[in-house]
Amino acid sequence: MARVVAAVLSEVRVKVLVVGSGGREHALCVALKRGPSVERVYCAPGNDGIAADATCAPEVSTSNLDGVVAYAKTMGVGLVVVGPEAPLVAGLADRLREAGIPCFGPGAEGARLEGSKAYCKQLMVRHNVPTAAYRTFTSVDDARAHVLAHDAFPLVVKADGLAAGKGVVVCATRDEALRAVAEAMEQRRFGDAGATVVIEEFLRGEEASVHAVTDGSTLVLLPPAQDYKRVRDADQGPNTGGMGAYSPVPSLPEKAMDAVVRSILVPMLHALKVEGVEYRGVLYAGLMLTRSGPKVVEFNCRFGDPETQVVLPRVRGDLAQLFLAAAQGRLGEVEGVDVDPRPVVGVVMASGGYPEAYTTGKAINGLDAASRLEDVTVYHAATRRRDGVLQTAGGRVLTVTASGADFAAARARAYEAVRLVGWEGEHHRSDVGVRAIEAAAAATK
Ligand code: AMP
Ligand code: GLY
């Protein structure tokens, strides 16, 4: 994947604010900081691990839109990059633009792509973007009748609104589907997000995540990644926010990316335009590579986590200038720069119990030794410092990443680092990157 990303070096130095506090935001801070035009990187709220790479503002919550705007103004920030979806859906980008601050991230209207699965599906179908066949239900009786009349399982039941990645249930049987409908619509397991559900066809294939930087008219593709969603090896156990990732994706070579651009990304940009939505930020396409071509599983309005931790280290050039050009609607002016061909593998280290109830406040050992390894970068998703000791402070705690000459080298180095780090109850997948090694070997046969 050469010449995928562009950068224009500006004479003007810019202060950048990253909004959020996870591994994705840490990776954004580290990647942005490398840009020659970047004077300083702030992160609100950030965490104690991110504080090594950015000026953090623990008092600024992502749900306090006024607070974020005020902080950006006070610090004289010239670009805001929003990590998570919730503040985008709530209209943070609109508020920043109203205040005259360039924001990399769509306004509330654009963020509806992720905020309402029913809206997103409707847009895809109207504009012939390939996706799973589906129906939307606002009545629990109708949803139930649909499941009862359905013969092909698995069937996928999705809460319409934001549910922190937990609103999707792949149902192997009719009973499971009936239960999923009842949990979402009657018991309101996901609150109002489940008042409407989308029930859709199950797609078979390998998944891939594609990020496109866009100003609504021009697209700049970032290298693709693959995410590991299940908690245990061999894709067993419940879904999580993501337990690991790698980039590039051997089963999505450059030629196949052309098809993704042509059949998915360009029609979606066109769809947004027709709807009157000015979309500036990342358009994230979660794809299933099916036998009949790539199909959309979901669109997100922001960077993936942990995909960002393996994608951005491969992107060369001044990211702040790329994001700023998108934020200001002049991405067409930007010329392509290169992507590092070396693969990156990232392993998420999680707290005991995650993704169910988990323990926190455990002292983390071995971080310095791991960070000293060549080609290794450790991103902090949820850490805090107490009495000088770094502790765990959430479910997903670290993403340990490594690059290498090939997937085998990157994977070996990442796990060498993982073995040096630990805390009570820590768990991680041990098979991240295996699939890539196999697929890369098959591709060269
Ligand atoms: P989503 O939040 O929509 O990305 O769904 C979470 C995960 O559920 C996806 O990454 C897939 O692994 C799985 N999934 C969602 N929709 C489908 C589908 N139509 N067919 C197969 N798997 C799906
Ligand atoms: N890792 C999947 C996501 O960020 O939605």
Side-chain angles (χ1 to χ4, degrees):
M1 297 276 315
R3 286 186 297 107
V4 186
V5 168
V8 174
L9 271 186
S10 147
E11 295 300 311
V12 187
R13 303 254 291 164
V14 63
K15 292 181 187 169
V16 185
L17 168 63
V18 173
V19 175
S21 64
R24 164 183 54 206
E25 286 75 20
H26 193 183
L28 279 163
C29 289
V30 169
L32 283 160
K33 204 172 83 165
R34 283 199 307 261
S37 75
V38 174
E39 184 180 333
R40 191 164 185 160
V41 179
Y42 298 87
C43 189
N47 65 47
D48 286 343
I50 295 177
D53 293 292
T55 305
C56 291
E59 72 284 4
V60 180
S61 151
T62 58
S63 57
N64 176 2
L65 306 191
D66 287 335
V68 176
V69 175
Y71 182 72
K73 270 193 184 156
T74 306
M75 296 302 160
V77 160
L79 170 69
V80 177
V81 179
V82 184
E85 61 278 12
L88 290 168
V89 171
L92 177 59
D94 305 295
R95 300 285 297 280
L96 286 160
R97 282 182 199 118
E98 279 158 27
I101 302 166
C103 176
F104 184 69
E109 277 197 339
R112 267 185 88 200
L113 273 191
E114 182 165 358
S116 167
K117 291 190 191 287
Y119 165 77
C120 187
K121 294 292 284 192
Q122 211 179 39
L123 211 56
M124 284 193 265
V125 168
R126 214 183 295 149
H127 294 267
N128 294 318
V129 174
T131 185
Y134 81 106
R135 283 190 53 192
T136 298
F137 298 93
T138 50
S139 139
V140 66
D141 291 336
D142 292 350
R144 233 182 237 128
H146 176 74
V147 171
L148 287 171
H150 198 84
D151 304 315
F153 291 87
L155 191 62
V156 186
V157 177
K158 301 184 169 186
D160 174 59
L162 292 185
K166 294 177 187 131
V168 173
V169 190
V170 176
C171 306
T173 63
R174 183 172 286 124
D175 279 350
E176 272 182 47
L178 289 171
R179 209 175 315 131
V181 164
E183 281 183 0
M185 300 185 86
E186 286 180 333
Q187 292 149 33
R188 293 295 168 97
R189 187 173 155 204
F190 314 109
D192 288 346
T196 298
V197 299
V198 166
I199 301 185
E200 71 178 31
E201 163 202 18
F202 178 75
L203 299 174
R204 276 167 224 282
E206 213 178 304
E207 284 186 68
S209 311
V210 172
H211 297 89
V213 170
T214 183
D215 62 0
S217 300
T218 301
L219 284 174
V220 174
L221 272 189
L222 302 185
Q226 191 161 110
D227 177 17
Y228 286 74
K229 292 220 160 62
R230 302 294 195 98
V231 70
R232 282 194 287 281
D233 284 6
D235 294 329
Q236 301 296 305
N239 265 340
T240 67
M243 292 300 288
Y246 59 78
S247 174
V249 181
S251 38
L252 192 55
E254 212 160 337
K255 218 169 71 201
M257 285 293 271
D258 289 345
V260 172
V261 171
R262 225 176 328 105
S263 72
I264 292 171
L265 295 172
V266 169
M268 206 57 187
L269 270 198
H270 177 73
L272 289 163
K273 233 184 194 153
V274 170
E275 295 286 307
V277 177
E278 195 171 68
Y279 194 101
R280 296 178 175 181
V282 167
L283 184 60
Y284 165 124
L287 304 176
M288 192 69 84
L289 308 175
T290 74
R291 263 199 258 167
S292 50
K295 292 189 179 178
V296 177
V297 173
E298 63 168 345
F299 275 109
N300 290 332
C301 62
R302 38 85 197 165
F303 280 106
D305 188 345
E307 290 96 321
T308 306
Q309 292 90 305
V310 297
V311 168
L312 291 188
R314 302 187 55 227
V315 178
R316 292 190 183 133
D318 195 324
L319 270 187
Q321 292 304 318
L322 176 73
F323 293 172
L324 195 57
Q328 294 175 331
R330 47 178 186 79
L331 200 55
E333 293 171 11
V334 160
E335 277 191 33
V337 294
D338 287 342
V339 164
D340 189 336
R342 286 159 58 93
V344 176
V345 172
V347 181
V348 169
M349 300 183 73
S351 291
Y354 177 83
E356 319 302 339
Y358 50 79
T359 51
T360 58
K362 306 292 180 195
I364 304 172
N365 305 308
L367 263 181
D368 290 343
S371 303
R372 272 197 300 271
L373 289 177
E374 205 176 333
D375 297 327
V376 167
T377 308
V378 178
Y379 297 107
H380 292 240
T383 61
R384 66 178 174 227
R385 201 169 286 281
R386 289 285 182 278
D387 304 322
V389 177
L390 210 66
Q391 299 183 343
T392 62
R396 290 191 292 173
V397 176
L398 303 171
T399 310
V400 177
T401 69
S403 63
D406 55 23
F407 274 111
R411 175 180 144 74
R413 186 49 61 87
Y415 277 103
E416 188 185 342
V418 165
R419 277 192 296 274
L420 292 171
V421 180
W423 61 86
E424 188 192 324
E426 183 279 331
H427 68 96
H428 57 264
R429 280 183 65 152
S430 65
D431 62 349
V432 176
V434 171
R435 214 155 45 208
I437 297 173
E438 290 165 0
T444 54
K445 257 182 205 152

